[in-house]
Amino acid sequence: MGFEPTRLPDEPVRIEPRNRALPLNGSDTENGLVEPAPLTPEPTLSGEPELADLSPPRLGVVDGAMRFLYARGVSARNLVRPFHKPSRLRILATVDEPLPGERAAGMALRAGHFLIAGKRLGVEAADYGSTSLSPPVARTVHGFTWLADLEAAGTRDKVAPVADDIMRRWMLANAEIGTGPAWNVGHVGLRVLNWLVHAPLILSGNDRSFRASVLRHLSKTALWLDKQAPRGGAAHEVIPAWAAITAAGLLLPDGKPRRLFGEAGLIAALGDTVGEDGGMLSRSPVDQIETIAILLRLSACYRACRRDPPAQIQVMLSLMMPALLALTHSDGTLGSWQGSAPLSADRLALLTEAADPRARPLHDAKHWGFQRLAVRQSVVQFDAAPPPSGRQAHGGCASTLAFEFSHKEQRIVVNCGGAALAGAAVPRRIEDGLRSTAAHSTLMLGEHDSTPVEPNGKLGSGVKAVTFDRTKDGSASVLTASHDGYVARHGLFHERRLALSADGTLLEGADALLPRGRKAKRGDHGYAIRFHLGQGIEIGHQLESEGGKGFALAMPDGSYWQFRTGAPGLVVEESLWIDAGGHPRGVHQLVLTGSVGRDGGKVFWSFKRMG
């Protein structure tokens, strides 16, 4: 039984690329030697977050004028203390880190090397001014995200000398403000925020001259960010920048104008980059996780100054966590989507507890685009939206209509993932391959990606619209979607139907190629449908019957599943999967092959638990 001709529905429900974001527009305290100001409450929320909760905060005439003038270059001292000498430069409060780092990475730093996505880089051997650092390494080193890991690796007296050593090496290589690879706006935003949150760690040395130079560098960097952040950019650049400006306004002297300026910029940036269902326009779980972590650290800065953050920040966290949790598998780990690697269940639980302990996975996310079925102990994740576009498409993947499938602790069908980690343990040479359609569990037509992957991190013109529907077929839960990524080249739509049984032990699928109009383009159109299998799955004997063919699949937990299909060709090939530590792991993939003519057709397949 092979492909069977079928037709495209006359009036599909279209999901266009996400271009509508939340309509947000934003709106001195001292600790240490001076008593903190009293708590100043912000508006509180009740119930579920709604877009109405995200209206801009109102400012009085004085505060509004202060923000306006600061944004146009008037110094904070002239606005806050016009007839006084400059305040002494210092950090005004001690911030409690809300997200403890990875102890293993911190211990590696104590042993003399960075551990970044599986890659080891010696502290002494690192070139802190080099342009050759890969993106994940540069973001960690220049963004000082390693400070949380180091702080988790021991007492202050044990880890402070390590931080001091790296700070000195980095400062020596990056003494000039705004010059060199360390001055990517996103890196700078992360760096300023992490320096402020971990100020006691980086200012614990006995060298007063060096502490003063760090503080001067921090102050000058914050002024540089004030000018750079309003120029805009992708979410992974502007959100850290605006958060850092706001944190500097909280924790550096005479900071109220900067804080008001930063709050307005941050809320506007979130509105431009987060969709109505809480998913970021980049559709990247990496961006989603980082943004949540940034908002949590910024909220900790507010608490350190005995202030409540703007209500919009907590509303945003309440929207973003359910969207992220939509990508959790039955074992509590994260799926491999848009270049991400699986986040461990422990790290994800820590993030959830800090952001919104009541958050539950979002099942129907039309704009975020990741649909979810959860039945008993089985989970299906389905990419039912176009890939990211425009400036948000950095590192995007051609994964439309791919899916992942898990049962209990076992990932059965996965995507390769990990493109965002390329340059660490993942070689840069395979980055584009990991972003391709072939690296995802979906159909590829004629050796072409559904959306072309370009080497500069962008995506070409491919999928423009996706239809989607969620229904019931008896007791089974059904997801159906189609996309137009192959229409221009082949004149065929790809439609996929996934049906999960009521007990979660049978997943039935159908992939159809549907002609546009009456006929597709002339000739045969070859296809390959790939199912990348989870780590540790052993492929047993081949199954043959009148209804088709298949394989027995032995799971690491001792259970057995069967894969069956009516496709004319079924082969086993090698594949790889990027694990939570950023390491490539060898796995297998099942590949269905065949071709269709101008009338298109349909092929059926299934995964069934046997015991």
Side-chain angles (χ1 to χ4, degrees):
M1 179 174 62
F3 269 84
E4 299 174 356
T6 186
R7 296 291 179 189
L8 183 70
D10 293 332
E11 297 182 357
V13 177
R14 296 165 63 87
I15 299 178
E16 301 292 346
R18 296 192 316 148
N19 53 18
R20 182 184 178 193
L22 295 174
L24 306 182
N25 292 293
S27 35
D28 298 348
T29 314
E30 296 186 3
N31 200 351
L33 300 177
V34 181
E35 184 67 20
L39 182 67
T40 55
E42 300 282 352
T44 58
L45 304 176
S46 60
E48 296 299 318
E50 298 178 358
L51 296 186
D53 297 324
L54 300 171
S55 56
R58 294 183 178 276
L59 296 180
V61 174
V62 174
D63 286 354
M66 187 179 292
R67 183 177 69 188
F68 177 85
L69 293 171
Y70 187 81
R72 280 148 186 82
V74 179
S75 72
R77 184 174 69 85
N78 288 336
L79 292 171
V80 178
R81 301 161 58 90
F83 304 111
H84 296 76
K85 65 180 182 180
S87 300
R88 181 171 64 88
L89 184 59
R90 63 200 186 279
I91 306 297
L92 300 178
T94 299
V95 182
D96 292 329
E97 169 62 73
L99 294 172
E102 297 275 7
R103 179 176 170 79
M107 294 302 293
L109 281 168
R110 291 182 60 180
H113 56 264
F114 293 97
L115 182 60
I116 303 169
K119 180 182 178 67
R120 292 177 182 269
L121 177 66
V123 168
E124 295 184 0
D127 184 348
Y128 297 93
S130 173
T131 59
S132 63
L133 294 180
S134 64
V137 175
R139 199 161 181 84
T140 298
V141 172
H142 295 316
F144 281 73
T145 59
W146 51 267
L147 282 170
D149 299 330
L150 183 59
E151 197 156 48
T155 56
R156 181 70 50 78
D157 62 310
K158 299 292 185 183
V159 300
V162 179
D164 184 77
D165 178 47
I166 300 175
M167 282 290 300
R168 289 176 183 272
R169 295 175 185 274
W170 187 91
M171 292 276 288
L172 185 64
N174 298 280
E176 188 173 350
I177 302 295
T179 301
W183 296 90
N184 168 281
V185 171
H187 298 350
V188 178
L190 289 173
R191 180 162 70 245
V192 169
L193 182 61
N194 282 303
W195 281 6
L196 291 167
V197 171
H198 298 281
L201 182 58
I202 64 174
L203 298 173
S204 293
N206 296 321
D207 188 338
R208 291 187 177 183
S209 176
F210 181 68
R211 292 204 308 268
S213 68
V214 171
L215 284 172
R216 287 194 299 270
H217 193 94
L218 171 59
S219 177
K220 292 178 181 178
T221 302
L223 288 170
W224 183 87
L225 267 183
D226 289 342
K227 298 176 182 179
Q228 299 299 318
R231 298 181 179 181
H236 68 294
E237 296 177 349
V238 297
I239 289 177
W242 283 115
I245 290 170
T246 307
L250 288 163
L251 296 168
L252 295 180
D254 301 331
K256 184 176 181 180
R258 173 178 278 148
R259 173 176 64 81
L260 296 174
F261 172 64
E263 288 172 346
L266 176 62
I267 293 171
L270 289 168
D272 289 339
T273 57
V274 179
E276 295 177 0
D277 48 26
M280 299 193 72
L281 299 182
S282 67
R283 304 196 64 221
S284 167
V286 174
D287 289 352
Q288 191 91 356
I289 292 167
E290 183 177 274
T291 298
I292 292 171
I294 286 170
L295 295 181
L296 288 172
R297 291 190 169 104
L298 179 59
S299 297
C301 295
Y302 278 96
R303 289 193 296 272
C305 298
R306 299 190 180 183
R307 297 187 67 90
D308 283 346
Q312 293 91 334
I313 290 180
Q314 186 55 52
V315 171
M316 189 59 66
L317 289 170
S318 298
L319 286 169
M320 295 184 75
M321 276 311 306
L324 180 63
L325 294 178
L327 301 182
T328 52
H329 278 291
S330 47
D331 63 354
T333 60
L334 209 64
S336 300
W337 295 101
Q338 291 298 317
S340 67
L343 187 68
S344 72
D346 289 342
R347 295 300 298 178
L348 189 57
L350 183 67
L351 191 70
T352 305
E353 182 64 26
D356 184 3
R358 299 178 301 171
R360 296 295 181 267
L362 184 65
H363 287 261
D364 189 1
K366 290 183 174 62
H367 295 278
W368 178 227
F370 297 109
Q371 300 291 333
R372 175 185 175 89
L373 289 177
V375 178
R376 298 288 180 89
Q377 294 174 299
S378 292
V379 171
V380 173
Q381 300 169 10
F382 190 31
D383 184 353
S389 59
R391 66 174 51 171
Q392 308 298 343
H394 70 97
C397 298
S399 59
T400 308
L401 300 200
F403 79 103
E404 291 200 349
F405 176 45
S406 63
H407 180 75
K408 295 184 178 179
E409 303 296 311
Q410 178 60 50
R411 293 171 184 248
I412 300 173
V413 179
V414 299
N415 299 306
C416 297
L421 306 181
V426 177
R428 290 296 299 270
R429 66 179 182 275
I430 66 171
E431 178 181 359
D432 290 348
L434 293 175
R435 296 172 57 208
S436 70
T437 300
H440 299 82
S441 293
T442 187
L443 178 144
M444 189 171 183
L445 187 57
E447 300 297 324
H448 301 116
D449 292 321
S450 57
T451 298
V453 174
E454 299 179 354
N456 60 0
K458 302 295 184 180
L459 294 173
S461 178
V463 178
K464 295 182 176 61
V466 175
T467 72
F468 174 73
D469 194 19
R470 180 186 290 264
T471 58
K472 297 285 287 187
D473 185 356
S475 61
S477 300
V478 181
L479 303 177
T480 305
S482 69
H483 74 73
D484 60 355
Y486 298 118
V487 169
R489 188 181 294 268
H490 296 275
L492 293 166
F493 288 84
H494 173 210
E495 180 185 84
R496 167 164 277 182
R497 181 182 188 272
L498 302 175
L500 184 62
S501 64
D503 61 2
T505 62
L506 174 62
L507 176 65
E508 295 182 302
D511 283 290
L513 291 168
L514 311 171
R516 180 178 185 178
R518 298 182 60 186
K519 299 285 185 180
K521 293 186 177 180
R522 293 181 181 276
D524 290 336
H525 304 272
Y527 65 86
I529 308 173
R530 302 177 186 276
F531 304 88
H532 300 273
L533 301 180
Q535 188 178 13
I537 295 179
E538 296 182 2
I539 300 177
H541 60 281
Q542 187 165 2
L543 308 172
E544 297 280 357
S545 68
E546 293 183 1
K549 60 187 69 174
F551 282 102
L553 307 176
M555 304 292 156
D557 64 3
S559 64
Y560 286 87
W561 289 68
Q562 281 187 358
F563 173 80
R564 288 188 174 275
T565 182
L570 172 60
V571 296
V572 177
E573 295 181 1
E574 293 183 350
S575 182
L576 60 82
W577 175 71
I578 311 303
D579 69 13
H583 296 91
R585 303 296 185 186
V587 296
H588 293 96
Q589 60 176 316
L590 303 177
V591 185
L592 312 184
T593 59
S595 63
V596 298
R598 299 181 67 192
D599 291 328
K602 182 181 292 186
V603 67
F604 299 91
W605 48 265
S606 67
F607 287 88
K608 183 177 182 181
R609 191 172 192 269
M610 305 306 294

